[in-house]
Amino acid sequence: MTSIPAPSSGFATIDFETTGFYAEGTDRAIEISVVHSEPDGTITGQWETLINPGRDLGRQDIHGISAREILRAPQFTGITADLVDLLSQRVVVAHNASFDMRFLEAELGRAAYWAGVPFVSICTMRLARTHLGGSSTLADCCAAFDIDLSGAHRAAVDARATAELLGAFVASTGQSSWRDLLGQAERLAPYAGERGEWLARTNVEDYSPSFLERILDRVPDVSDSDEQAEYVALVERCLLDRYLSEHEKDALVAFAERTGLPRATVERLHRDYLAALVKIAWADGVITEDERADLISVAQLLEVPAEIVLDAVAQPVEIVEPPAATSAFVLNPGDIVVLTGEMTRARSEWEHCLREHGIVAKPAVTKAARLVVAADPDSLSGKARKARDYGIPIVGESWLAERYV
């Protein structure tokens, strides 16, 4: 394992792969990755290891970890000392931090470790609600900034992407905005147990997401609060294998009770979420029998009457095409423009040019954007995909050059 640096101020982004999501019950961590970033968001190091949970591995079709690999992996107590050093004096970052922090604290508790001071943590999913206007899944947030997320559901991939997402937020808000938070992170008490060898995955198979997972990544936010968003994120974890175990049901109920979500709100979230799934499924103009079966299965899991789905899939949802960017299209002072791709002129030059006309250049695609300018208007980048989802026009660099040079 790469040597661990001395404690210093900065961020430590973590991601767990787990047997399930009931941290306080029988589920366990089976993989962790930690990414260090400087206060300005620059990534400086990454560590990862499998963890032997001493039980079955849960949904192996999702995380792709085999029992053969786990047999050689350390138990959590064997990585605790190094993990504590990696987190010491740093703000702990995670996407849906409620999930990862609960597993971190549960596993540390089983290892009989007490940090001496509280962890200082921040959630990029919650940040996205502020900075991206409702995007919630890691895939959706990464698409808004064109951050690569190839090989999701591996702790190292998800942690790295989350750290890059954090860096994008830091860059867009300014380092001074984070100074107070960074100053709250203190040194953690050392762990007295023995240090084991970390064991990273070696055989990583290509992951092919299912139809359901592909549309889950594109579902718009249907929540009205951070707590609702975290509940929906837990629901999404259940949906991937189209099965809701009794342990998962208990965990969802426990989360709703802990956060004070009333039954009516939960039922509304289920209905709205299913409606959003159906709309995304219709995006290509057709719903196959397999897709229809998946949607009905989701309805049953969410206890939404199947008739609602049957009615929804019987009639195509009207897909509104993005408006064409013609000569009549005009940018006004205060409008937001997003640039993507390698252009002939430096991006900084275009940003300066836009500022001179009172136009705001932003790094991420949100619903507030008026226009996306791409090196290739047919781009398949995450930013271009988000623009099409939101109905935002996409133009080439020449469109800008004709009007603002």
Side-chain angles (χ1 to χ4, degrees):
M1 182 178 74
T2 305
S3 60
I4 298 173
S8 61
S9 180
F11 301 98
T13 300
I14 64 171
D15 185 82
F16 280 109
E17 292 299 315
T18 65
T19 61
F21 58 77
Y22 198 13
E24 298 80 7
T26 58
D27 285 314
R28 297 290 184 271
I30 54 176
E31 186 179 34
I32 186 174
S33 182
V34 182
V35 179
H36 273 187
S37 303
E38 291 294 301
D40 65 357
T42 301
I43 294 174
T44 56
Q46 181 166 10
W47 300 261
E48 63 176 303
T49 185
L50 295 167
I51 304 167
N52 189 331
R55 54 150 287 177
D56 70 274
L57 300 178
R59 301 195 312 242
Q60 290 175 264
D61 59 318
I62 303 290
H63 53 63
I65 298 172
S66 69
R68 177 178 296 181
E69 292 175 289
I70 286 294
L71 289 175
R72 298 170 42 237
Q75 294 184 338
F76 194 86
T77 51
I79 69 163
T80 300
D82 286 331
L83 178 58
V84 167
D85 288 348
L86 288 171
L87 301 182
S88 187
Q89 206 174 320
R90 290 180 177 265
V91 173
V92 182
V93 183
H95 198 78
N96 191 9
S98 171
F99 176 86
D100 291 280
M101 292 305 296
R102 284 191 297 113
F103 268 94
L104 174 63
E105 291 171 356
E107 293 289 5
L108 289 175
R110 295 185 190 103
Y113 172 75
W114 183 61
V117 295
F119 286 104
V120 177
S121 64
I122 194 164
C123 178
T124 51
M125 189 173 78
R126 290 194 174 203
L127 288 174
R129 291 178 61 82
T130 300
H131 296 280
L132 299 180
S135 295
S136 57
T137 66
L138 182 58
D140 207 37
C141 294
C142 287
F145 284 103
D146 267 345
I147 295 170
D148 181 49
L149 189 59
S150 302
H153 297 296
R154 178 183 176 187
V157 172
D158 290 354
R160 180 82 184 197
T162 302
E164 291 185 24
L165 181 60
L166 171 73
F169 288 145
V170 173
S172 63
T173 57
Q175 188 176 339
S176 60
S177 303
W178 304 81
R179 189 172 297 125
D180 290 344
L181 182 68
L182 289 163
Q184 296 172 25
E186 302 179 55
R187 288 206 179 197
L188 306 178
Y191 180 69
E194 294 185 5
R195 297 175 186 263
E197 289 293 324
W198 287 38
L199 178 70
R201 284 200 222 191
T202 53
N203 299 319
V204 181
E205 298 180 0
D206 291 335
Y207 181 74
S208 299
S210 65
F211 149 77
L212 188 56
E213 186 170 358
R214 292 198 304 273
I215 64 174
L216 287 180
D217 285 341
R218 300 181 62 181
V219 174
D221 189 16
V222 298
S223 60
D224 298 325
S225 69
D226 291 333
E227 291 75 19
Q228 290 180 23
E230 288 166 6
Y231 175 82
V232 171
L234 289 181
V235 169
E236 287 176 333
R237 287 176 179 265
C238 297
L239 295 181
L240 292 179
D241 64 349
R242 306 166 194 74
Y243 178 75
L244 198 60
S245 71
E246 291 304 314
H247 290 304
E248 291 171 335
K249 290 178 183 177
D250 290 344
L252 285 170
V253 170
F255 182 89
E257 291 177 346
R258 185 170 63 249
T259 56
L261 292 180
R263 181 180 182 85
T265 298
V266 169
E267 291 175 348
R268 191 269 299 171
L269 288 171
H270 288 185
R271 290 193 304 271
D272 290 353
Y273 191 81
L274 184 62
L277 281 179
V278 172
K279 185 174 182 179
I280 294 296
W282 271 117
D284 62 356
V286 64
I287 291 183
T288 67
E289 283 303 309
D290 286 343
E291 293 169 349
R292 180 175 178 272
D294 266 349
L295 291 169
I296 292 174
S297 176
V298 170
Q300 292 171 339
L301 290 176
L302 298 181
E303 298 184 357
V304 174
E307 303 81 58
I308 294 179
V309 179
L310 293 173
D311 290 343
V313 300
Q315 297 294 329
V317 175
E318 182 180 358
I319 306 300
V320 179
E321 293 294 329
T326 66
S327 57
F329 184 90
V330 176
L331 289 173
N332 300 308
D335 282 347
I336 294 174
V337 170
V338 178
L339 308 176
T340 182
E342 295 296 325
M343 300 183 181
T344 57
R345 294 183 63 180
R347 187 167 301 186
S348 58
E349 292 182 19
W350 276 125
E351 290 173 349
H352 176 74
C353 181
L354 290 170
R355 281 197 301 272
E356 288 186 330
H357 289 81
I359 298 166
V360 182
K362 293 281 190 177
V365 176
T366 69
K367 291 180 180 179
R370 183 90 195 285
L371 184 71
V372 170
V373 182
D376 178 0
D378 293 317
S379 171
L380 298 178
S381 71
K383 288 182 179 180
R385 195 252 298 168
K386 290 302 300 175
R388 295 185 186 103
D389 286 347
Y390 292 150
I392 299 169
I394 303 173
V395 299
E397 184 181 11
S398 60
W399 189 92
L400 275 188
E402 291 171 4
R403 291 159 177 80
Y404 297 101
V405 174

